[in-house]
Amino acid sequence: MSYTIKDVAKKANVSVATVSRILNNLPGYSEKTKEKVLQVIAEMGYQPNAIARGLINKKTKTLGVLLPAVSDTFASVVLSGIEDMAHELDYSVMVCNTDKDGKRTMKYLQALREKQVDGIVFVSEFFKEEYYNAIIAMDLPVVLVSTKSQYDVPFIKVDDKKAVFDGVTYLLERGHRSIGMIAGTKGDPIATLPRIEGYKKALQDNGISVDKRKIAFGDFGFESGITAAKELLDHNEGLTAIFCSSDEMAAGALSYLYRISIRVPDQISIIGYDNTKVAEMAIPPLTTVGQPLYEMGKNAVKMLLDRETEESQSVFMPHHIVERETVKVIEKEEAE
Amino acid sequence: MSYTIKDVAKKANVSVATVSRILNNLPGYSEKTKEKVLQVIAEMGYQPNAIARGLINKKTKTLGVLLPAVSDTFASVVLSGIEDMAHELDYSVMVCNTDKDGKRTMKYLQALREKQVDGIVFVSEFFKEEYYNAIIAMDLPVVLVSTKSQYDVPFIKVDDKKAVFDGVTYLLERGHRSIGMIAGTKGDPIATLPRIEGYKKALQDNGISVDKRKIAFGDFGFESGITAAKELLDHNEGLTAIFCSSDEMAAGALSYLYRISIRVPDQISIIGYDNTKVAEMAIPPLTTVGQPLYEMGKNAVKMLLDRETEESQSVFMPHHIVERETVKVIEKEEAE
DNA sequence: ATGAAAGCGCTAACAC
DNA sequence: GTGTTAGCGCTTTCAT
């Protein structure tokens, strides 16, 4: 057993109230008693019990974060930003791996509530009505990262449509006319539909008609990138570039292309999405539409904690194209 | 404000004790009252306050995990195993990103203690005396993952020397004689020295003399793999294979080799370590010495929780070589 | 400047 | 089978 505030009080010949005041920097004691108490505390190695404290304050200084697969590159960078900012502000973070299917989410939500976390950040997963209701019932601040919802919940994300539009336009500007797309999960209203719109708009703005066969769907993972790339190449001729909705899928495409001996970017250009570590490590290094994942994590906790006072608004974070080596410029003659 | 057990008791016309009994599945009430109480609980949407509960039990059902860089592939897989097993056993996990330098570690340790976690899993970082003392003082169970210490703290890891020995032997068996090594951080007693020993032993057992110039050091990261590979190639001629002490460094080596147009595995074979996702995604897919990272995470929490009762022992987890496409067999004639 | 005491939401004796 | 009550370790009035 560790020492309690009582032990400290006794040993320092003061009341627990005084010790508490000193611990919390409240006024109401002489410099002398403060010194004495601090010394006793040091001697005993006393540490306050945050649980007891939390019972009174109704504040636990801990945040819950729900995300699919901590082990995926995308989520882990966001988590890292969350973690850093949280600890900077003296909060701890409880991670809940919702494991893609979202089955565990309700259970986690309940655990977080019972453990009285001060707020929740919800990453990337689709925000179901069920979750919304549960969180409203708990009366807890939430912020969504890289996802949004029909409900009035603040989010922080990139403008996907615009980001893809820019990525595809980048390809267009470099002379590409026959551009395929490896999109995310079919029907996903957050990370797939708006991106396809961005893709279409870029094409249309350049007078290029959209061809359904040039769009393949994956699940954002590596393997699905391989499959989708194969599908695209099997169903199209003369593709000069592929826009991929995640770096991992782009890596899958790269891998498939390598296997069938199609050189990147000489024969086909590839552009990814996210700018995670996999883009840096790819061979060749992957040109990609970068999201400020780490900053999004950081901002999420800032927003969350602000929200405890003033109402804060959703924010769109800037994206930017990170040029590496997977996009080739097609010369005019060549393009004709 | 949410409801408390008192509210439930009042509304159900019973005492708080009865409600508590029902909540905790203790004996002492009729089926009828149980039903009634449960119904009231459902109606009110009451959820017990784990903080209050923790104050009494001295159990918070939460674990702390300290690891360097949650965003690195290695740690995040371990974390994912920890997370899964913890939630399976109804524990929550607080992540603390020690951020490589270990500067924040003491601060985290203190926060975890104040928040009364039931145990700590310490991943991969070097376990300093300071940490040991702090943890002893907190009287908390700890388990080390992928690291160990001179103190009597249970760990769970792979036998590094043996693993590297096997990896290098694998190369030897395939005809390689001139094998370089990209080791980890110079002087690291956990993840570098034993691995170098394994490398040397494999060579010596095959009558090959060890050449210092064939060993370069990195920091387990991608960039350092590039640098180290360059160093190795600049200082050695006729190298036919490189053993890398992490998949990321292997990816770096692959990247460098690609840049200078040396074909893998035709001209040089590469073997990695860890078997993380980067090995799968590498081009070509990376042959590597795999560690059961996810299982190590899972077992760590099992051990940790067992330790609350019986003393549990350290364990070495099995490693195994994952054959992919970066190692070439050198024909006898060629080798002469 | 300092202390006594109430009470946060719960569990666990102990009584009936 | 059920209720009363004393804490768990702390903060916070309210006295003094």
Side-chain angles (χ1 to χ4, degrees):
Chain A
M1 260 304 301
S2 314
Y3 294 114
T4 74
I5 199 174
K6 246 183 181 163
D7 300 319
V8 174
K10 199 176 301 168
K11 190 144 175 211
N13 283 314
V14 294
S15 72
V16 294
T18 297
V19 177
S20 173
R21 288 188 189 104
I22 293 173
L23 249 21
N24 295 289
N25 279 311
L26 296 175
Y29 46 82
S30 67
E31 193 55 33
K32 222 171 99 188
T33 41
K34 175 175 179 178
E35 261 170 43
K36 167 132 198 196
V37 169
L38 254 22
Q39 190 196 321
V40 169
I41 286 176
E43 266 172 30
M44 308 176 80
Y46 164 77
Q47 307 254 148
N49 181 328
I51 295 298
R53 197 174 261 173
L55 189 53
I56 299 181
N57 310 329
K58 273 109 178 51
K59 288 267 165 282
T60 50
K61 287 271 189 180
T62 112
L63 267 25
V65 11
L66 291 162
L67 33 69
V70 276
S71 59
D72 101 70
T73 1
F74 175 93
S76 64
V77 176
V78 176
L79 177 58
S80 158
I82 291 173
E83 230 276 325
D84 282 358
M85 181 55 76
H87 274 116
E88 218 167 273
L89 302 176
D90 273 310
Y91 277 73
S92 299
V93 353
M94 283 191 180
V95 278
C96 300
N97 195 332
T98 56
D99 224 8
K100 223 103 193 170
D101 58 3
K103 263 280 122 54
R104 286 150 67 170
T105 306
M106 286 305 294
K107 196 177 149 228
Y108 289 154
L109 245 23
Q110 180 172 336
L112 290 175
R113 189 253 229 286
E114 292 190 0
K115 285 177 180 166
Q116 315 290 127
V117 297
D118 297 339
I120 290 182
V121 6
F122 191 92
V123 183
S124 165
E125 213 188 326
F126 178 70
F127 194 66
K128 294 192 198 158
E129 174 174 11
E130 190 183 14
Y131 307 160
Y132 176 75
N133 292 335
I135 291 179
I136 287 300
M138 333 202 298
D139 190 31
L140 269 184
V142 208
V143 3
L144 269 29
V145 177
S146 200
T147 182
K148 56 180 187 161
S149 100
Q150 44 168 320
Y151 307 103
D152 182 30
V153 178
F155 60 80
I156 171 163
K157 67 189 296 295
V158 147
D159 181 339
D160 285 70
K161 179 173 175 183
K162 186 68 171 52
V164 173
F165 175 86
D166 289 349
V168 174
T169 298
Y170 176 89
L171 256 13
L172 258 6
E173 287 169 355
R174 275 151 194 77
H176 294 274
R177 302 282 114 181
S178 183
I179 303 173
M181 176 178 197
I182 298 183
T185 314
K186 206 163 189 163
D188 176 346
I190 309 294
T192 297
L193 268 21
R195 297 190 192 173
I196 289 181
E197 278 178 46
Y199 164 79
K200 288 183 177 171
K201 182 162 191 308
L203 256 34
Q204 285 160 354
D205 282 9
N206 282 267
I208 298 175
S209 64
V210 175
D211 178 353
K212 274 201 159 183
R213 283 168 312 180
K214 289 211 177 79
I215 302 179
F217 295 88
D219 63 5
F220 301 102
F222 177 74
E223 297 296 339
S224 78
I226 296 179
T227 318
K230 175 166 169 34
E231 185 184 330
L232 243 29
L233 293 193
D234 286 353
H235 298 347
N236 295 278
E237 293 213 336
L239 230 44
T240 67
I242 300 177
F243 180 95
C244 305
S245 221
S246 78
D247 288 341
E248 283 205 25
M249 292 195 297
L254 248 26
S255 187
Y256 177 67
L257 263 15
Y258 168 81
R259 172 138 302 141
I260 62 174
S261 296
I262 289 184
R263 277 166 289 113
V264 175
D266 296 342
Q267 296 172 268
I268 287 195
S269 292
I270 299 285
I271 184 164
Y273 196 92
D274 290 342
N275 192 31
T276 53
K277 191 115 194 169
V278 349
E280 287 174 51
M281 303 200 302
I283 290 181
L286 183 69
T287 294
T288 191
V289 179
Q291 302 193 59
L293 266 11
Y294 179 79
E295 283 69 29
M296 285 162 72
K298 282 195 127 177
N299 286 1
V301 351
K302 248 190 285 180
M303 275 177 61
L304 194 64
L305 269 15
D306 281 356
R307 242 176 64 86
E308 293 200 307
T309 47
E310 27 169 345
E311 209 60 29
S312 81
Q313 287 308 306
S314 296
V315 1
F316 279 106
M317 298 289 281
H319 57 271
H320 61 286
I321 292 176
V322 181
E323 300 191 85
R324 280 193 274 249
E325 305 168 22
T326 50
V327 174
K328 174 189 169 191
V329 176
I330 297 189
E331 305 303 332
K332 265 276 162 28
E333 303 78 349
E334 213 174 323
E336 305 294 305
Chain B
M1 260 306 300
S2 313
Y3 295 113
T4 73
I5 197 174
K6 247 182 179 162
D7 300 319
V8 174
K10 198 176 302 168
K11 189 143 177 208
N13 283 315
V14 296
S15 73
V16 295
T18 299
V19 177
S20 174
R21 287 186 190 104
I22 294 173
L23 249 22
N24 296 289
N25 280 311
L26 297 175
Y29 46 80
S30 67
E31 192 56 33
K32 220 172 102 189
T33 44
K34 174 173 177 178
E35 260 171 45
K36 166 129 198 199
V37 169
L38 254 22
Q39 189 196 320
V40 169
I41 286 177
E43 266 172 30
M44 308 177 79
Y46 164 77
Q47 306 254 150
N49 182 328
I51 295 298
R53 197 174 262 173
L55 190 53
I56 299 181
N57 310 330
K58 273 108 178 53
K59 288 266 166 284
T60 51
K61 287 272 191 179
T62 112
L63 266 26
V65 11
L66 291 162
L67 34 69
V70 273
S71 59
D72 103 70
T73 0
F74 176 93
S76 63
V77 176
V78 176
L79 177 57
S80 156
I82 291 173
E83 228 277 324
D84 282 357
M85 182 53 78
H87 274 117
E88 217 167 275
L89 303 175
D90 273 308
Y91 277 74
S92 299
V93 353
M94 283 191 179
V95 276
C96 299
N97 195 330
T98 56
D99 223 9
K100 223 102 194 172
D101 58 2
K103 263 279 125 54
R104 286 150 67 170
T105 306
M106 286 305 293
K107 197 178 148 227
Y108 288 154
L109 245 23
Q110 181 173 337
L112 290 175
R113 188 254 230 286
E114 292 191 0
K115 287 179 179 164
Q116 315 290 127
V117 298
D118 297 339
I120 290 182
V121 7
F122 191 93
V123 183
S124 163
E125 212 188 326
F126 178 70
F127 194 66
K128 295 192 198 158
E129 176 176 11
E130 190 183 14
Y131 307 160
Y132 177 74
N133 292 335
I135 291 178
I136 287 299
M138 331 202 301
D139 189 31
L140 269 185
V142 208
V143 3
L144 271 27
V145 176
S146 199
T147 181
K148 56 181 187 161
S149 102
Q150 45 169 319
Y151 307 103
D152 182 30
V153 178
F155 60 80
I156 170 163
K157 68 190 295 295
V158 147
D159 181 338
D160 285 70
K161 178 173 175 182
K162 186 69 170 50
V164 174
F165 175 87
D166 289 348
V168 175
T169 299
Y170 176 89
L171 257 12
L172 260 5
E173 287 170 354
R174 275 149 194 78
H176 296 274
R177 301 283 114 180
S178 183
I179 303 174
M181 174 177 198
I182 298 183
T185 314
K186 206 162 186 162
D188 175 346
I190 310 295
T192 298
L193 269 21
R195 296 190 193 173
I196 290 181
E197 278 178 47
Y199 164 78
K200 289 183 177 170
K201 182 162 192 306
L203 257 33
Q204 285 160 353
D205 283 9
N206 282 267
I208 298 175
S209 64
V210 175
D211 177 353
K212 273 201 160 184
R213 285 169 310 181
K214 289 211 178 82
I215 302 180
F217 296 88
D219 63 5
F220 301 103
F222 177 72
E223 297 296 338
S224 79
I226 295 178
T227 318
K230 175 168 170 34
E231 185 183 331
L232 243 29
L233 294 193
D234 287 353
H235 299 348
N236 296 278
E237 294 212 336
L239 230 45
T240 67
I242 300 177
F243 180 95
C244 306
S245 220
S246 77
D247 288 340
E248 283 206 24
M249 293 196 296
L254 248 25
S255 189
Y256 177 68
L257 263 14
Y258 168 79
R259 172 135 304 138
I260 61 173
S261 296
I262 289 184
R263 276 167 290 113
V264 175
D266 296 341
Q267 296 173 268
I268 288 196
S269 291
I270 299 286
I271 183 165
Y273 197 92
D274 289 342
N275 191 31
T276 54
K277 190 113 195 172
V278 349
E280 287 175 52
M281 303 200 302
I283 290 180
L286 183 69
T287 294
T288 191
V289 179
Q291 302 193 59
L293 265 13
Y294 179 80
E295 282 69 29
M296 285 162 73
K298 282 195 127 177
N299 286 1
V301 350
K302 247 190 285 179
M303 274 176 63
L304 194 63
L305 268 16
D306 280 357
R307 242 177 62 87
E308 293 198 307
T309 46
E310 28 171 344
E311 210 59 29
S312 80
Q313 287 308 304
S314 295
V315 0
F316 279 105
M317 297 288 282
H319 57 270
H320 61 286
I321 291 175
V322 181
E323 300 191 86
R324 282 194 272 249
E325 304 169 22
T326 50
V327 174
K328 174 190 169 190
V329 176
I330 297 188
E331 304 302 333
K332 263 276 162 29
E333 303 79 347
E334 215 173 324
E336 305 294 306

